[in-house]
């Protein structure tokens, strides 16, 4: 894992347990994209914010915004510290920080509305991303 990948994952892990809040961007509450923005900020990287989205999306808005600012990585080549875009209710509307450990356990750290907080869970249980993004020049 690269230095950035280690730092980004640890930064995201440090936010576990923070309550979920739609469009939250601080320790009072985070949503999924807010978690990625906050974790990057904590390691000195500024990601463009995505604002004004509805709580229940049924569009490709998030995918379009991520593709404008991050590099797409082939799913088979993802590394710890990449950002996974997941489908929920049939649409690509959720993101999380991907973690690949040396023992083969693959997890995602994400702010999940139904769980009401930032959690880390096994990818095999949660489901695999449809698209993977990498923050430019970091890994």
């Amino acid at each position: 894992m690269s230095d950035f990948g280690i730092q980004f994952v640890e930064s995201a892990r440090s936010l576990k347990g923070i309550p979920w809040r739609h469009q939250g961007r601080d320790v009072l509450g985070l949503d999924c994209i807010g978690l990625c923005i906050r974790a990057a900020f904590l390691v000195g990287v500024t990601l463009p914010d995505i604002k004004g989205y509805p709580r229940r999306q049924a569009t490709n808005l998030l995918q379009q915004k991520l593709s404008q600012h991050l590099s797409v990585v082939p799913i088979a080549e993802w590394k710890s510290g990449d950002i996974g875009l997941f489908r929920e209710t049939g649409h690509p509307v959720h993101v999380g920080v991907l973690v690949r450990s040396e023992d083969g356990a693959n997890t995602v750290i994400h702010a999940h509305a139904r769980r009401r907080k930032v959690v880390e869970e096994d990818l095999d249980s949660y489901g695999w991303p449809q698209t993977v993004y990498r923050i430019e020049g970091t890994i």
Side-chain angles (χ1 to χ4, degrees), residues 98-114:
L98 299 174
V99 184
R100 185 185 301 257
S101 67
E102 292 179 12
D103 66 3
N106 300 307
T107 61
V108 59
I109 305 164
H110 58 136
H112 202 271
R114 286 188 307 246

Side-chain angles (χ1 to χ4, degrees), residues 56-117:
R56 300 217 188 277
Q57 296 180 55
T59 68
N60 290 338
L61 174 67
L62 184 57
Q63 186 172 21
Q64 292 167 356
K65 294 292 186 181
L66 290 170
S67 295
Q68 288 174 357
H69 301 290
L70 303 175
S71 299
V72 175
V73 175
I75 290 176
E77 297 175 19
W78 73 271
K79 297 179 181 180
S80 288
D82 285 341
I83 296 172
L85 175 64
F86 299 87
R87 286 187 177 274
E88 289 193 353
T89 63
H91 302 282
V93 297
H94 185 66
V95 294
V97 177
L98 299 174
V99 184
R100 185 185 301 257
S101 67
E102 292 179 12
D103 66 3
N106 300 307
T107 61
V108 59
I109 305 164
H110 58 136
H112 202 271
R114 286 188 307 246
R115 290 173 184 83
R116 308 303 301 166
K117 63 183 176 182

